[in-house]
Amino acid sequence: MALTPTKSGGNASDKSDDVFMREVDDAVRRSDMEAFGKRYGWWILGLIVLGLAAFGAYIIWQNNQTAADGKLAEQYITAMDAAQAGDAKTARPILQKLADGSNEGYRAASLMMEGNLASERKDEKAAIAAYQTVIDDESLPEPFRNLALVRQTALQFDSISPDQVVARLKPLAIEGNPWFGPAGEMTAMAYIKQGKTDLAGTLFAALSKDKALPESTRRRTRQLAGVYGVDAVQDDESPAGAAPQQTAPAKGEGAN
C-alpha cells in the first residue's frame, strides 16, 4: 500500500522552495543593480556633482546680491543725507551713478531725487526731464511712474492745456487710488478751466469725504465744492453730528 506524503513534509518542502526563490531574486537584483551601476553610475554621479555645484553657485550669487544691494542702499542714503544738507554737489554724482545702474528700485528713486533737487533749485526744465525719464521707462515700478507723472504735471500745470491735465491725471483721480488727493485736485481745477464746474464740484466733494486725505485737504476741497454748487458740508456730516430735525406737532397738540 502506497504511503501518501505527510502534511508536515509538504510544508518543509514549500519553505525550502521559498527560501531558494528569495535567494534567486536577491541575486538577480544584485546583478541588475551592478549592471545599472556600471552603465549609468558615472552619469548619476555627474548629475549629483552638477546639482551640488549649481546649488553652491546660487548661494554664492545670493550672498553677492545681498552685499551689492547693501552697497546700493548705503550710496542712496549718503546721497539723501547730502541732499537734505543742501550739498547737491555730493548728492548728484551718486544719484547719477545709481540712475545708470541696473537695480530698478534705486534707478527710479534716484531719478525722482534728481527731479526733486532740480525743482528745489528752480530748474524746472531739468526736473521735468528727470520725471519724464521715469514716466517713459516701463521697466520701473508703477508707483514711481505715477508719482513722477503727478509731480511733473504739478510743475507744468500753468503751462499746459487743461485737456492735457485731465488726460494725464483722470486715471489717477479715482477714489481709492493712492494719488487721488493731488491728482483729484488738479483734475478738478482743470475742469474749472474747461468750464465744467459741475464736474469740478462733484470731484471736490468726493475729495472732501475721503478720510484717507489730510484734514487740511478735506477742508479746502469741502469749501471749493460749495463754491461750485455741491453741499459737501451736509453730506460729510455724520448722523450723530447732524442737527435734530423738527417735526410738525401731531393732531391734538398745539402751543399753549
Side-chain angles (χ1 to χ4, degrees), residues 146-220:
N146 289 338
L147 175 59
L149 181 63
V150 169
R151 291 194 173 176
Q152 184 193 65
T153 305
L155 286 176
Q156 296 180 303
F157 187 83
D158 292 327
S159 60
I160 61 177
S161 70
D163 292 348
Q164 287 178 283
V165 174
V166 172
R168 287 183 184 183
L169 300 182
K170 191 175 180 180
L172 303 180
I174 300 172
E175 293 180 66
N177 188 285
W179 309 110
F180 181 46
E185 280 200 81
M186 283 191 282
T187 301
M189 295 302 294
Y191 281 148
I192 293 171
K193 287 186 175 183
Q194 292 177 324
K196 300 176 181 177
T197 55
D198 54 336
L199 294 179
T202 300
L203 187 49
F204 281 135
L207 288 161
S208 73
K209 290 183 281 188
D210 189 338
K211 295 185 179 180
L213 298 179
E215 181 57 34
S216 58
T217 300
R218 296 181 64 202
R219 185 167 50 248
R220 178 174 62 254

Side-chain angles (χ1 to χ4, degrees), residues 22 33 45 49 73 122 150-151 182 207 216 234 254:
R22 281 200 298 270
M33 289 299 295
L45 181 61
V49 171
K122 307 301 182 184
V150 169
R151 291 194 173 176
L207 288 161
S216 58
Q234 183 176 351

